[in-house]
């Protein structure tokens, strides 16, 4: 064994990492996100009163299913785009009579199909294994799911925009972006567990209101409509920003030849 | 503008920072004409091609295809043209027919199945209709890319190194096929290749680009004689190494 060659191979990885700020960031990103999420889950369990404990498992299962809807919806767009990058097919698509909006909508609808399959499977599995009935949320289920899908669409467009701009070096964001908001979105614990400054950020994220609303319905059977109103309003803003960002980055890509580069590299 | 002109490029320029990749390039392509775009690596061929395909925005200049401004009528124009490049693939995990079917539908091809079968047979890969695309050899994949490029019966075809991974027998068949389609259907082709035999055999006219500038234009034999070389390969090497000498016309 040559230690010199081993060292050269280590250097090769260092060079690869130095070329991508996303990869550098990733070293700290995942552990930090995991620590934050599980730290606040622990705090929530510690603070929960005796009356709250029976709801805890239901909260967690419901949150897990809802989180998956958001995550898969975002992935539907980003991974479909990356699939075309990985197979060097992107240029074939964009040199054809395809509009950016058509491409994104196609990817979103496929994502919707994937979410539907996942959702049905998880609902059945949660019922069989834990007697968790997602339909206990009743009518609220529809606006909850719709809001998560729309946020997934917005996050998917934002992620795709960043990958278009920064190339394949940024592809880790396809998985990272939803988890970036997870600790703030109070998925597995209520917003009240978070420190005050984080609560401000939390309430600016549409899905926070969905998760808060879900817990409220499970706990009391009713929900304040303000949560739904905030979720819809914020989603409109997120969607508008995502569209603007995607079109902007696509134009930058057209100016710098990044579409062609992504499609052939 | 003459109705026979399919593609008109006017003062096309692309600047990346300090680099002028394409410098005031002007040319036109008539209906039924095959034009070779030649130049050394980095001369600006691919940059020009990407601008004509609408995936790279020019710094200045204008591109008209079928008499329409490319950037204003992108979808209409792109649905009447097609392209194939050695650097671009069809998804490896799909079957050959699935890849062709998807692009046929995207281009709005009517008689999808018969068109697909006819092209697969023409390019001698009919037996691979159900094969997984990723399992094809590079020569077979190149022919499949050509099938995709011919699916919508394009009026303008952009080919980037279409024979680079083909064996001499198949490359010869592809050249003859392109010539045949050009004759029968009046197809116009903009063709880049580093294979000078390809160019001499297939192209009616060549455009020589050096450092983003058009430095020679005309039928291959005329250009060869004009610059007093024995063949296109010699001329290519000369321009790549001493482009500025030719530009000054010292040897003419």
């Amino acid at each position: 064994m040559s230690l010199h060659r081993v060292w050269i191979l280590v250097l090769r990885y260092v060079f690869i990492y130095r070329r991508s700020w996303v990869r550098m960031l990733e070293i700290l990103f995942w552990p930090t996100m995991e620590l934050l999420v599980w730290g606040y889950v622990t705090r929530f369990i510690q603070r929960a009163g005796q009356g709250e404990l029976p709801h805890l498992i239901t909260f967690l299962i419901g949150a897990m299913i809802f989180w998956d809807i958001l995550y898969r919806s975002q992935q539907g767009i980003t991974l479909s785009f990356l699939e075309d990058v990985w197979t060097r097919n992107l240029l074939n698509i964009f040199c054809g009579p395809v509009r950016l909006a058509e491409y994104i909508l196609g990817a979103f609808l496929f994502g919707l199909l994937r979410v539907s399959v996942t959702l049905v499977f998880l609902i059945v599995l949660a019922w069989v294994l834990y007697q968790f009935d997602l339909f206990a949320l009743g009518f609220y289920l529809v606006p909850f799911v719709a809001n998560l899908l729309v946020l997934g669409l917005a996050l998917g467009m934002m992620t795709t925009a960043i990958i278009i701009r920064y190339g394949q070096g940024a592809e880790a964001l396809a998985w990272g972006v939803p988890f970036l908001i997870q600790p703030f979105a109070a998925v597995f614990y209520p917003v009240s567990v978070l420190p005050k400054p984080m609560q401000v950020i939390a309430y600016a994220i549409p899905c926070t209101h969905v998760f808060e609303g879900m817990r409220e319905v499970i706990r009391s059977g009713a929900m304040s409509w303000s949560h739904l109103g905030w979720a819809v309003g914020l989603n409109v803003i997120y969607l508008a920003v995502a569209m603007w960002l995607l079109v902007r980055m696509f134009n930058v890509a057209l100016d710098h030849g990044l579409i062609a580069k992504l499609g052939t590299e | 503008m003459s109705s026979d002109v399919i593609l008109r490029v006017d003062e096309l320029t692309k600047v990346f920072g300090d680099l002028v990749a394409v410098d005031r390039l002007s040319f036109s392509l008539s209906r039924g004409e095959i034009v070779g775009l030649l130049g050394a690596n980095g001369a600006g061929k691919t940059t020009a091609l990407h601008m004509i395909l609408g995936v790279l925005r020019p710094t200045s200049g204008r591109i008209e295809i079928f008499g329409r401004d490319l950037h204003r009528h992108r979808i209409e124009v792109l649905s009447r043209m097609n392209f194939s490049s050695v650097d671009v693939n069809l998804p490896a995990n799909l079957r050959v027919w699935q890849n062709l079917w998807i692009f046929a539908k995207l281009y709005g091809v009517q008689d999808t199945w018969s068109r697909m079968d006819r092209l697969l047979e023409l390019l001698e890969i009919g037996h691979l209709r159900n094969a997984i695309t990723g399992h094809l050899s590079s020569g077979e994949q190149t022919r499949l890319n050509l099938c995709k490029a011919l699916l919508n019966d394009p009026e303008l075809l952009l080919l980037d190194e279409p024979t680079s991974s083909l064996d001499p027998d198949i490359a010869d068949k592809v050249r003859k096929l392109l010539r045949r389609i050009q004759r029968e259907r009046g197809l116009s082709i903009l063709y880049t290749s580093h294979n000078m035999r390809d160019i001499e055999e297939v192209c009616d006219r060549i455009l020589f680009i050096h450092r983003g500038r058009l430095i020679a234009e005309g039928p291959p034999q005329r250009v060869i004689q004009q610059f007093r070389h024995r063949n296109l390969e010699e001329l290519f090497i000369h321009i790549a190494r001493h482009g500025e000498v030719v530009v000054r016309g010292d040897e003419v």
Side-chain angles (χ1 to χ4, degrees):
Chain A
M1 177 182 279
S2 159
L3 282 177
H4 173 71
R5 280 196 294 271
V6 172
W7 174 237
I8 296 300
L9 290 170
V10 171
L11 272 182
R12 187 180 66 121
Y13 291 117
V14 172
F15 291 155
I16 292 170
Y17 267 72
R18 279 182 55 186
R19 279 199 64 234
S20 166
W21 60 269
V22 178
R23 282 199 174 106
M24 297 277 274
L25 212 65
E26 220 189 358
I27 299 173
L28 300 176
F29 176 78
W30 293 106
T32 309
M33 293 303 121
E34 280 168 16
L35 184 71
L36 284 174
V37 168
W38 294 111
Y40 287 120
V41 168
T42 310
R43 185 179 282 183
F44 172 44
I45 294 169
Q46 282 170 345
R47 282 189 190 176
Q50 285 296 321
E52 194 89 270
L53 280 175
H55 292 306
L56 206 67
I57 182 77
T58 327
F59 287 164
L60 290 177
I61 295 173
M64 199 285 280
I65 294 175
F66 272 22
W67 174 253
D68 218 64
I69 293 170
L70 172 66
Y71 183 63
R72 307 247 159 240
S73 161
Q74 180 265 354
Q75 296 270 291
I77 292 175
T78 318
L79 288 189
S80 299
F81 174 76
L82 280 175
E83 188 93 31
D84 281 325
V85 172
W86 293 329
T87 56
R88 300 202 305 174
N89 186 41
L90 201 63
L91 219 51
N92 272 329
I93 299 282
F94 285 110
C95 290
V98 177
R99 288 185 176 85
L100 178 62
E102 292 165 344
Y103 182 80
I104 294 295
L105 189 62
F108 175 66
L109 290 177
F110 176 67
L112 211 61
L113 203 68
R114 280 186 2 157
V115 168
S116 309
V117 174
T118 308
L119 190 59
V120 170
F121 185 71
L122 286 183
I123 286 172
V124 173
L125 209 61
W127 172 252
V128 172
L129 296 178
Y130 312 110
Q131 287 73 55
F132 174 80
D133 180 13
L134 196 69
F135 294 107
L137 294 173
F139 160 78
Y140 297 113
L141 189 61
V142 178
F144 282 162
V145 170
N147 271 291
L148 292 172
L149 290 173
V150 172
L151 180 61
L153 170 66
L155 292 179
M157 288 200 288
M158 287 179 192
T159 318
T160 304
I162 297 168
I163 296 172
I164 286 175
R165 177 65 187 85
Y166 293 101
Q168 274 184 272
E171 70 182 26
L173 289 175
W175 294 271
V177 162
F179 288 97
L180 182 67
I181 64 164
Q182 196 185 43
F184 302 95
V187 180
F188 301 108
Y189 40 81
V191 176
S192 58
V193 170
L194 296 170
K196 282 278 178 226
M198 276 178 81
Q199 287 187 20
V200 178
I201 301 170
Y203 282 123
I205 301 170
C207 64
T208 305
H209 300 275
V210 172
F211 290 108
E212 286 286 272
M214 177 205 69
R215 280 185 287 268
E216 213 173 295
V217 175
I218 290 174
R219 195 185 296 117
S220 65
M223 189 193 77
S224 70
W225 286 92
S226 71
H227 275 312
L228 209 54
W230 274 104
V232 172
L234 286 169
N235 260 334
V236 170
I237 296 169
Y238 272 61
L239 204 56
V241 171
M243 280 176 187
W244 173 82
L245 188 69
L246 185 62
V247 171
R248 172 98 185 87
M249 289 301 134
F250 194 74
N251 280 320
V252 169
L254 285 179
D255 282 334
H256 291 82
L258 302 176
I259 296 289
K261 215 171 164 185
L262 260 178
T264 53
E265 72 186 0
Chain B
M1 186 171 125
S2 158
S3 62
D4 272 329
V5 174
I6 289 281
L7 167 69
R8 187 183 292 278
V9 170
D10 190 25
E11 293 280 303
L12 194 65
T13 301
K14 184 66 199 181
V15 180
F16 295 108
D18 296 332
L19 176 76
V20 183
V22 173
D23 191 3
R24 287 167 289 153
L25 180 66
S26 295
F27 68 91
S28 63
L29 180 62
S30 298
R31 188 177 295 279
E33 193 182 23
I34 303 183
V35 171
L37 195 57
L38 304 190
N41 293 331
K45 304 183 301 288
T46 307
T47 305
L49 218 60
H50 286 161
M51 285 192 277
I52 297 167
L53 283 166
V55 287
L56 178 63
R57 192 175 286 148
T59 306
S60 63
R62 189 175 159 85
I63 300 166
E64 266 187 19
I65 304 176
F66 314 123
R68 302 206 164 236
D69 184 90
L70 172 65
H71 294 283
R72 281 200 203 141
H73 302 91
R74 188 175 166 272
I75 297 296
E76 184 199 330
V77 166
L78 290 179
S79 64
R80 292 168 64 187
M81 56 190 274
N82 213 318
F83 102 113
S84 169
S85 166
V86 72
D87 292 323
V88 180
N89 287 339
L90 292 164
N93 42 3
L94 295 187
R95 293 189 187 280
V96 164
W97 73 263
Q98 289 172 321
N99 270 319
L100 291 178
W101 187 86
I102 284 164
F103 279 97
K105 292 297 172 192
L106 281 179
Y107 278 92
V109 175
Q110 296 296 320
D111 48 347
T112 311
W113 295 104
S114 60
R115 180 92 190 134
M116 274 163 49
D117 287 340
R118 212 161 50 239
L119 285 170
L120 285 169
E121 290 305 327
L122 246 152
L123 285 148
E124 299 185 17
I125 49 171
H127 60 290
L128 298 171
R129 195 176 187 271
N130 293 313
I132 301 289
T133 303
H135 294 172
L136 305 187
S137 70
S138 59
E140 288 164 343
Q141 289 201 15
T142 303
R143 280 181 279 165
L144 176 61
N145 285 342
L146 277 169
C147 272
K148 174 251 153 196
L150 293 167
L151 269 174
N152 60 327
D153 200 6
E155 293 164 69
L156 172 63
L157 190 56
L158 273 65
L159 299 177
D160 193 8
E161 310 253 0
T163 58
S164 67
S165 55
L166 301 178
D167 66 51
D169 173 46
I170 298 293
D172 182 59
K173 285 177 178 168
V174 166
R175 283 193 293 267
K176 287 190 167 70
L177 171 75
L178 290 172
R179 266 294 185 197
R180 204 180 98 197
I181 299 172
Q182 177 238 2
R183 272 196 311 273
E184 289 173 2
R185 311 196 67 89
L187 171 67
S188 308
I189 303 176
L190 189 60
Y191 196 105
T192 79
S193 177
H194 285 138
N195 181 341
M196 294 304 112
R197 195 183 150 196
D198 256 24
I199 299 289
E200 282 186 59
E201 201 178 318
V202 175
C203 297
D204 301 309
R205 194 155 57 91
I206 57 171
L207 305 165
F208 239 115
I209 299 184
H210 183 69
R211 292 181 186 158
R213 283 187 156 189
L214 182 65
I215 57 168
E217 182 181 2
Q221 286 312 315
R222 204 179 76 196
V223 173
I224 293 166
Q225 285 165 10
Q226 188 186 352
F227 291 99
R228 295 176 190 167
H229 282 281
R230 281 176 299 183
N231 54 49
L232 211 49
E233 187 144 339
E234 250 185 31
L235 175 61
F236 185 100
I237 292 168
H238 188 97
I239 289 179
R241 291 178 188 168
H242 317 283
E244 62 284 356
V245 176
V246 179
V247 176
R248 283 205 309 268
D250 289 356
E251 293 188 322
V252 181

